[in-house]
Amino acid sequence: MSQPIPIRHQHLTKELPVNNARVIANYFTTRREYEYVGTAGEPGSQGGALVYNQRNDTGRFLRRIVIKYYERNSWEAGLEFECLRRLAGAEHIVQLLGEGMKLFGSTTGLIMEYVGYGTYDHMQLRLEDRRIHRSQDLPVPNRFIWRMALCFVRACIAMRYPPNATYTGPFREVAVRREVIPDPEPDVTSIMHQDILSINTLLSGLKMDDVEHRLSPLIKIIDFGKATRGPDDGSNLFHCAKLIGELATDVTGFPLITQRVNVNTTASPGGIDIDTMADVKSLERVQTTKELRDFIYRCMSPSSQIPLGEALEICLANVAKGPHEFPGLQGGGVWETDHYITTFIQETVLDGNTDGELERLRVGRQVSLPKRPREEMDRNSRPVKRRRTSAEMTPDVPISVSGYEPFDDLDSMES
């Protein structure tokens, strides 16, 4: 039988409806090491997500977790669990924690890591707001785009070669590793996400000692409720490239029309004609190099898609370039400097997404909820119009789960 909510949690949970969210909230409040923070995103017809802080015996903050629950169609929870179980250890895929999936009474919940800087969609909205309120249309740095592209390619490698695919035992947390093309390539079944959208892509914080994430956030793909398994059909890379193109052009929802373009490839440096479904007109209009445009064209080619190995090599080569190694850009690379990119990230990713309590969390003090949902306000306290769906989660505080002990065994909890 569910226990009553302790007084210390009543001011946080009293707004929860009497449904599966309330069941989970009651379940966790029987354990002192878990502190309810709030909801992630907006609950929808398929369910929602609750956020908790995990603390040790002395009250020191360990990590923040997300419980994703399902109101109905719990088979989606099983599907998502199975996909994420196979993807355990992939750096650019959201990770399950603890036992991964648990029944809270009759409610199915997935236990996941918390990723701290909102969605790709949120970044795009802030980028749009930035352009509207500037006197000039400032470009998105090519060095930033290449780093985001590298994140997406690594996520596609994880889905092509699920790192935990051969493990058949009970779920357990594994060390997170960076995705590479395995050698030799294993005979494993790939995972096609089928719903790679800006709202299903989360942004983590910067890593100043990591060349790949020093000038861009780390991307994590979420929501595998529509995924399929089978031979890699190229759909993951196609839709990731679509998001890359939208970032470069600030144009979303363009029609997928096949067009003929000429691209340079490793095998044909002089150029070769291919079909692509990318937004050619918009990409030709903005400040992008031919190599970046060709990369997007090839990723979105219905008949001549670039191999993942070559895509990885191209991204790595461009991430290693300095600000003045991108020919054909106006300003001679002034928009590619570390200083400009840092300012760009601050305005489009970092600002307005933290609640200023990270350090207090680290020393174990209590966290308070913002008076108004952070994801609904920009840095000037003006309402921001959101393109929301029931699947979206919009976390606030950057927390890394790396280096912490595995999540406590939830089977030992008393319901």
Side-chain angles (χ1 to χ4, degrees):
M1 181 176 179
S2 298
Q3 299 294 320
I5 298 176
I7 293 176
R8 67 189 179 95
H9 289 286
Q10 286 180 357
H11 70 291
L12 297 176
T13 59
K14 64 182 180 180
E15 299 299 329
L16 290 177
V18 183
N19 57 8
N20 292 345
R22 170 70 71 166
V23 171
I24 295 174
N26 284 344
Y27 186 91
F28 270 95
T29 51
T30 63
R31 299 296 295 263
R32 295 183 59 84
E33 62 266 42
Y34 300 106
E35 176 187 38
Y36 176 75
V37 176
T39 59
E42 298 175 354
S45 60
Q46 298 178 359
L50 302 179
V51 182
Y52 285 86
N53 290 333
Q54 182 184 1
R55 300 179 183 274
N56 63 14
D57 293 340
T58 64
R60 183 176 179 81
F61 177 83
L62 295 178
R63 62 183 177 184
R64 183 167 283 190
I65 65 170
V66 173
I67 309 297
K68 181 178 180 181
Y69 63 89
Y70 294 78
E71 293 287 1
R72 60 187 183 186
N73 295 333
S74 61
W75 63 268
E76 290 189 7
L79 172 61
E80 185 160 16
F81 170 75
E82 179 60 23
C83 290
L84 292 178
R85 183 188 69 79
R86 292 169 175 268
L87 292 164
E91 183 182 30
H92 294 86
I93 305 293
V94 70
Q95 294 293 289
L96 293 173
L97 302 178
E99 60 193 286
M101 181 171 67
K102 183 169 181 63
L103 284 176
F104 301 89
S106 61
T107 301
T108 304
L110 297 183
I111 308 161
M112 299 179 174
E113 68 173 315
Y114 178 90
V115 185
Y117 280 102
T119 64
Y120 197 89
D121 176 64
H122 189 206
M123 179 185 67
Q124 289 178 309
L125 289 170
R126 291 181 63 81
L127 179 59
E128 180 182 353
D129 180 74
R130 174 179 180 266
R131 285 176 168 166
I132 291 174
H133 292 88
R134 292 286 187 124
S135 58
Q136 54 183 324
D137 189 12
L138 300 178
V140 179
N142 281 242
R143 294 174 71 202
F144 178 83
I145 300 172
W146 277 117
R147 282 165 169 77
M148 300 293 272
L150 178 56
C151 280
F152 278 120
V153 169
R154 290 202 184 276
C156 289
I157 291 173
M159 291 182 280
R160 171 63 182 87
Y161 308 100
N164 205 36
T166 58
Y167 176 73
T168 58
F171 176 80
R172 77 279 189 266
E173 293 183 43
V174 298
V176 173
R177 302 181 186 277
R178 187 150 294 173
E179 304 90 343
V180 296
I181 303 292
D183 185 20
E185 296 186 22
D187 183 18
V188 294
T189 302
S190 300
I191 296 172
M192 276 62 69
H193 189 284
Q194 306 295 2
D195 200 25
I196 295 179
L197 302 170
S198 59
I199 59 174
N200 290 333
T201 305
L202 296 182
L203 306 180
S204 186
L206 305 182
K207 296 183 178 181
M208 301 312 294
D209 59 346
D210 183 352
V211 66
E212 294 188 16
H213 304 115
R214 181 175 64 86
L215 294 175
S216 70
L218 188 152
I219 283 176
K220 285 182 177 284
I221 303 296
I222 65 170
D223 200 348
F224 285 76
K226 296 181 180 179
T228 59
R229 293 172 53 199
D232 187 6
D233 60 5
S235 61
N236 291 330
L237 184 59
F238 180 95
H239 290 287
C240 284
K242 184 175 182 291
L243 291 180
I244 299 168
E246 291 177 355
L247 172 63
T249 63
D250 197 24
V251 176
T252 60
F254 58 86
L256 297 176
I257 301 174
T258 301
Q259 302 178 67
R260 198 74 172 168
V261 293
N262 185 272
V263 299
N264 297 334
T265 68
T266 304
S268 303
I272 184 174
D273 290 339
I274 66 167
D275 291 329
T276 186
M277 301 184 77
D279 186 3
V280 176
K281 182 178 179 180
S282 296
L283 284 168
E284 296 286 348
R285 173 181 55 83
V286 296
Q287 278 264 56
T288 53
T289 63
K290 177 172 172 52
E291 186 173 14
L292 178 56
R293 295 193 298 271
D294 287 354
F295 175 80
I296 297 173
Y297 295 157
R298 295 180 67 192
C299 289
M300 296 190 67
S301 174
S303 57
S304 306
Q305 191 178 59
I306 185 173
L308 270 178
E310 186 179 351
L312 178 62
E313 292 177 359
I314 292 175
C315 288
L316 286 171
N318 280 277
V319 165
K321 291 180 179 179
H324 301 291
E325 298 181 70
F326 295 88
L329 299 180
Q330 297 179 7
V334 65
W335 311 119
E336 305 297 332
T337 63
D338 287 8
H339 175 74
Y340 177 79
I341 296 175
T342 301
T343 303
F344 174 86
I345 294 172
Q346 191 69 42
E347 293 180 354
T348 59
V349 179
L350 303 182
D351 278 356
N353 286 288
T354 60
D355 59 12
E357 298 193 357
L358 177 58
E359 292 305 316
R360 293 195 289 278
L361 287 172
R362 292 196 185 282
V363 299
R365 298 178 185 173
Q366 296 292 310
V367 65
S368 60
L369 290 178
K371 294 181 179 180
R372 299 184 66 179
R374 180 74 63 178
E375 67 271 12
E376 294 179 2
M377 303 294 292
D378 70 359
R379 61 184 179 276
N380 296 318
S381 298
R382 291 180 289 103
V384 175
K385 294 182 180 180
R386 301 301 310 275
R387 299 191 293 271
R388 306 301 294 264
T389 73
S390 61
E392 183 179 3
M393 294 191 295
T394 54
D396 293 322
V397 180
I399 301 294
S400 171
V401 299
S402 301
Y404 292 118
E405 294 298 318
F407 193 70
D408 288 348
D409 184 3
L410 296 182
D411 282 333
S412 64
M413 297 184 183
E414 296 180 2
S415 49

